[in-house]
Amino acid sequence: MKFIVCDSYEEMSREGAAIIAELMKKKPDCLLGLATGSTPVGMYRELIRLHEAGEIDFSAVRTYNLDEYYPISPENEQSYRYFMNHNLFDHVNIKKENTHVPDGSAADPDAACAAYEAEYQATGGADIQVLGIGQNGHIAFNEPEEKLYAATHVTGLTQNTIEANARFFASVDEVPTRAMTMGMGTIMAARKIILLANGKNKHAAVEAMKEGRITTAVPATLLALHRDVVVICDREAYHG
Ligand code: F6R
């Protein structure tokens, strides 16, 4: 696991975008695994800037997102589908049919998760998977538990995550209590992983990754088993 410690959120965003832009230049039809949340927004903004500057082309890029609330309509402004359209896809020349987010409106969420997993695995996995990290060390919606799932699945959100995400909703009661999420094995299928973390409230989780020991109590520590992980963080997240 490699750590890149940056002076600011903007620098982190540029670092992350530079890694993705380099891949896109080498492999125009690359497959990107994408995350939502507040952390990658700056990186998406930088990718949009690079696209507008004529440096990167999304016309052949394919994307698979980590997760989605359940149940939620893709038109709901709090859905991760809406988030991705609004923060990235609507501003670049990506083909919408090449973008994939778990379907929060599926009638049978378990079947939808199984289909998402099969379709994703059939691609051979992402060239780069982007991750954020929860204060409790969750990645995607893989929350600290004794047992973690390998594949895409439906999961309940912890109170901690519901409260952390309540800032995006009118009230805490409106935060969906379930989600569809890639599992640990799905995430590990990517050839390269970049994890972004900023702010002091992410320090404990980053510290657990620095330790290099593995526990399902901090799901992100399992990334130590992957051979190409780059953690891009600011000084607060790294040093506390
Ligand atoms: C989002 C996701 C989550 C977030 C994490 C951090 O797709 O999978 O695990 O990455 O909750 O969220 P922020 O960036 O809002 O602190």
Side-chain angles (χ1 to χ4, degrees):
M1 194 175 287
K2 186 178 148 195
F3 290 84
I4 299 176
V5 185
C6 300
D7 286 328
S8 66
Y9 175 70
E10 288 69 31
E11 190 187 330
M12 277 173 55
S13 301
R14 282 195 300 273
E15 284 282 348
I19 294 172
I20 292 176
E22 191 192 333
L23 167 71
M24 286 174 64
K25 287 174 191 169
K26 268 200 273 192
K27 189 177 176 188
D29 64 345
C30 61
L31 196 147
L32 302 176
L34 299 178
T36 60
S38 45
T39 314
V41 170
M43 188 184 76
Y44 294 150
R45 219 180 287 135
E46 176 64 8
L47 287 174
I48 294 166
R49 192 190 67 75
L50 291 171
H51 170 68
E52 285 169 351
E55 287 191 38
I56 51 174
D57 172 21
F58 284 82
S59 62
V61 170
R62 296 159 297 148
T63 67
Y64 277 80
N65 261 76
L66 287 170
D67 46 14
E68 178 61 284
Y69 288 119
Y70 188 83
I72 201 160
S73 142
E75 282 84 39
N76 185 314
E77 291 185 13
Q78 301 308 332
S79 74
Y80 287 176
R81 163 51 79 181
Y82 185 95
F83 175 100
M84 289 310 304
N85 289 348
H86 184 74
N87 285 291
L88 181 64
F89 301 154
D90 287 347
H91 307 285
V92 296
N93 65 332
I94 199 161
K95 296 192 180 87
K96 279 282 166 64
E97 65 268 27
N98 286 347
T99 69
H100 305 84
V101 180
D103 181 7
S105 65
D108 181 344
D110 293 318
C113 285
Y116 195 77
E117 178 74 22
E119 193 186 308
Y120 174 76
Q121 294 293 355
T123 67
D127 293 292
I128 292 181
Q129 174 67 58
V130 176
L131 295 177
I133 185 169
Q135 292 173 37
N136 62 4
H138 74 225
I139 49 177
F141 275 119
N142 297 284
E143 300 280 7
E145 302 252 25
E146 197 181 334
K147 297 178 181 181
L148 300 177
Y149 282 86
T152 305
H153 60 283
V154 180
T155 185
L157 307 192
T158 63
Q159 199 53 34
N160 182 313
T161 298
I162 291 173
E163 279 161 23
N165 290 6
R167 66 190 192 275
F168 302 112
F169 290 82
S171 80
V172 70
D173 302 330
E174 286 183 25
V175 185
T177 55
R178 286 189 292 165
M180 304 160 96
T181 180
M182 285 187 180
M184 299 305 297
T186 332
I187 292 169
M188 293 285 196
R191 281 177 281 290
K192 182 183 187 77
I193 295 175
I194 58 179
L195 184 149
L196 303 168
N198 67 304
K200 218 189 279 181
N201 61 347
K202 301 291 173 75
H203 174 65
V206 170
E207 194 61 30
M209 282 194 289
K210 279 158 68 178
E211 222 185 285
R213 292 199 295 173
I214 293 156
T215 171
T216 62
V218 186
T221 61
L222 271 81
L223 296 175
L225 298 171
H226 192 282
R227 67 174 73 215
D228 189 357
V229 178
V230 180
V231 179
I232 303 173
C233 52
D234 67 358
R235 292 188 190 287
E236 286 74 32
Y238 191 79
H239 297 293

